[in-house]
Amino acid sequence: MAAPTPDDPSLERHFKGHRDAVTSVDFSLNTKQLASGSMDSCLMIWHMKPQSRAYRFTGHKDAVTCVNFSPSGHLLASGSRDKTVRIWVPNVKGESTVFRAHTATVRSVHWCSDGQSLVTASDDKTVKVWSTHRQRFLFSLSQHINWVRCAKFSPDGRLIVSASDDKTVKLWDKTSRECVHSYCEHGGFVTYVDFHPSGTCIAAAGMDNTVKVWDVRTHRLLQHYQLHSAAVNGLSFHPSGSYLITASSDSTLKILDLMEGRLLYTLHGHQGPATTVAFSRTGAYFASGGSDEQVMVWKSNFDVVDYGDVKVQRPPPLASSAGNLPEMDLHGPPARDKSLESVQGQPQEPVSVPQTLTSTLEHIVGQLDVLTQTVSILEQRLTLAEDKLKQCLENQQLIMQRTPS
């Protein structure tokens, strides 16, 4: 076997700490932290800085099925087989608030880009939307007729896409709460779905070993990949929108070039099914998890040369190397991602808002997130204290009544 070229993805870090299969991974905004959920009922927060200690969060009463950092990175949401959603402050204390509304396993949790709401998917066949600041459930979307495995907001927060064991992918309008379209091309359970960074396309993974890409405006099937030899469990778009990575029960990760419609790399790292995969917010890294209890962090490398060019130029139309596929109209990612270019050392385009002001505002939003969470925790403790005080008073009254005068 030939030695890998410098541009090949390479294994950067290898995290061990879970005691059962890893179900989900997600990077924080600044790529300093990586969260993972596991069948062992725990969340782990791994620090990318070498020799840093990991945090283990306990609170869920059953398997943790999904994790997702808030856009600011100051909060972390998780879902579990215990039917609850929790929002954590990802620091050493690991305090959390519990959201309850689902009546079965919560399979998926995803923050809206505004940081104000969450969308969850469950085995109770519903998709639910929550207000994170008001700490309450808002509404359900309930047209699926089997377990819902995954639900995601579009980058602009206007649409929601969901994937189900009823073999459909459904597109919803968040405002009207109506199902806009059902995609029925999968031959088996649909395990995962996500929006392209431009918001114009979706990609879905299935138990039928396939990955399918649709245009959400015309609802046309744009691309169809059958590259894995077992179920595809997860996928993630590179922030540039040019690449897609998949994780499969055949134990491999595969990186696809969406512009050319072809397979770029097959990565062998996990012993057993690869259950989850996610690019970092800059695309410089990606993380994977597996049934082998391992969390692996890989350096993308292929994006070092391409990243700046891909982000500022309109990608070329889809080449015909993958067969007679229709052209894929992939716009570049939204303008708000432009700031990520500085991480790769690319020159930033001039913006109207000064960078210092933007970062200050982001910091304030993050602090408000933490304050909201802290107030919620204090409210919970106050309620508990009031309940205990009420019980004490009732017991005192009973004792007074029994005591003879």
Side-chain angles (χ1 to χ4, degrees):
M1 185 177 164
T5 66
D7 290 333
D8 289 346
S10 56
L11 186 61
E12 185 87 356
R13 302 289 301 279
H14 196 179
F15 295 120
K16 297 180 182 180
H18 282 298
R19 295 158 189 160
D20 206 337
V22 178
T23 56
S24 182
V25 290
D26 192 38
F27 283 96
S28 63
L29 175 67
N30 55 16
T31 319
K32 287 182 180 175
Q33 293 182 320
L34 172 69
S36 59
S38 167
M39 298 295 283
D40 65 9
S41 306
C42 293
L43 276 84
M44 297 288 290
I45 303 281
W46 312 93
H47 295 274
M48 294 293 284
K49 191 178 174 184
Q51 281 82 50
S52 295
R53 290 191 62 179
Y55 302 148
R56 184 191 300 275
F57 291 171
T58 55
H60 282 296
K61 305 291 189 289
D62 207 334
V64 177
T65 55
C66 47
V67 292
N68 186 227
F69 273 103
S70 64
S72 67
H74 292 279
L75 296 173
L76 177 69
S78 62
S80 169
R81 204 157 61 185
D82 67 10
K83 308 175 190 176
T84 69
V85 173
R86 281 180 182 260
I87 295 184
W88 310 77
V89 180
N91 57 23
V92 71
K93 291 181 182 176
E95 294 180 309
S96 65
T97 307
V98 186
F99 287 43
R100 290 183 177 89
H102 282 294
T103 57
T105 299
V106 180
R107 293 276 172 194
S108 167
V109 61
H110 184 236
W111 290 85
C112 189
S113 56
D114 63 7
Q116 303 286 315
S117 51
L118 278 176
V119 64
T120 56
S122 167
D123 286 2
D124 64 12
K125 305 176 192 175
T126 71
V127 172
K128 294 189 188 297
V129 176
W130 314 70
S131 166
T132 51
H133 281 61
R134 293 178 192 166
Q135 310 266 324
R136 66 186 181 91
F137 160 69
L138 295 177
F139 59 88
S140 284
L141 304 172
S142 43
Q143 286 187 29
H144 282 293
I145 55 171
N146 206 335
W147 295 357
V148 190
R149 299 243 182 183
C150 185
K152 296 286 181 84
F153 282 111
S154 59
D156 64 8
R158 293 179 188 176
L159 298 171
I160 292 168
V161 69
S162 57
S164 168
D165 280 8
D166 65 12
K167 302 181 185 178
T168 72
V169 171
K170 291 188 186 293
L171 189 67
W172 311 81
D173 184 295
K174 185 189 167 190
T175 308
S176 68
R177 305 179 192 178
E178 296 291 321
C179 179
V180 178
H181 192 80
S182 290
Y183 303 90
C184 307
E185 285 92 341
H186 272 282
F189 298 165
V190 191
T191 54
Y192 199 90
V193 68
D194 202 1
F195 277 92
H196 184 270
S198 68
T200 60
C201 308
I202 51 170
M207 296 283 270
D208 59 2
N209 311 354
T210 69
V211 172
K212 291 178 169 64
V213 181
W214 290 278
D215 189 309
V216 297
R217 300 157 300 181
T218 63
H219 308 307
R220 283 194 312 155
L221 179 65
L222 298 176
Q223 292 184 341
H224 171 105
Y225 296 95
Q226 189 143 11
L227 301 167
H228 287 287
S229 58
V232 185
N233 301 314
L235 54 80
S236 179
F237 281 103
H238 187 271
S240 69
S242 298
Y243 308 103
L244 182 74
I245 190 164
T246 57
S248 168
S249 291
D250 66 12
S251 82
T252 69
L253 307 175
K254 289 184 186 284
I255 298 171
L256 313 175
D257 183 330
L258 296 174
M259 297 300 102
E260 305 231 346
R262 67 185 178 93
L263 175 66
L264 277 183
Y265 300 106
T266 295
L267 303 174
H268 300 266
H270 291 282
Q271 304 296 312
T275 51
T276 178
V277 67
F279 273 111
S280 65
R281 307 292 164 105
T282 65
Y285 297 93
F286 56 92
S288 61
S291 296
D292 57 4
E293 307 173 9
Q294 310 293 309
V295 174
M296 296 181 182
V297 177
W298 310 72
K299 198 165 186 188
S300 302
N301 291 332
F302 59 77
D303 69 335
V304 174
V305 176
D306 300 343
Y307 198 80
D309 293 336
V310 171
K311 286 191 76 73
V312 294
Q313 292 178 4
R314 180 187 169 86
L318 181 68
S320 58
S321 58
N324 296 320
L325 292 170
E327 284 194 359
M328 197 173 179
D329 182 17
L330 296 179
H331 297 286
R336 64 187 178 80
D337 285 348
K338 283 289 197 301
S339 61
L340 300 179
E341 289 172 14
S342 59
V343 181
Q344 297 296 332
Q346 298 294 332
Q348 282 187 266
E349 291 183 0
V351 287
S352 55
V353 182
Q355 187 62 42
T356 49
L357 179 58
T358 307
S359 57
T360 305
L361 288 170
E362 282 175 0
H363 179 72
I364 291 166
V365 168
Q367 292 303 308
L368 285 171
D369 281 346
V370 175
L371 281 171
T372 304
Q373 198 68 10
T374 307
V375 168
S376 171
I377 292 162
L378 288 171
E379 282 175 351
Q380 287 181 347
R381 288 179 179 173
L382 186 60
T383 305
L384 283 170
E386 285 171 346
D387 289 346
K388 284 179 182 174
L389 182 61
K390 187 179 174 184
Q391 200 175 357
C392 287
L393 290 169
E394 285 171 355
N395 289 341
Q396 194 177 9
Q397 283 179 333
L398 283 170
I399 293 163
M400 293 289 284
Q401 286 167 7
R402 286 176 190 162
T403 307
S405 50

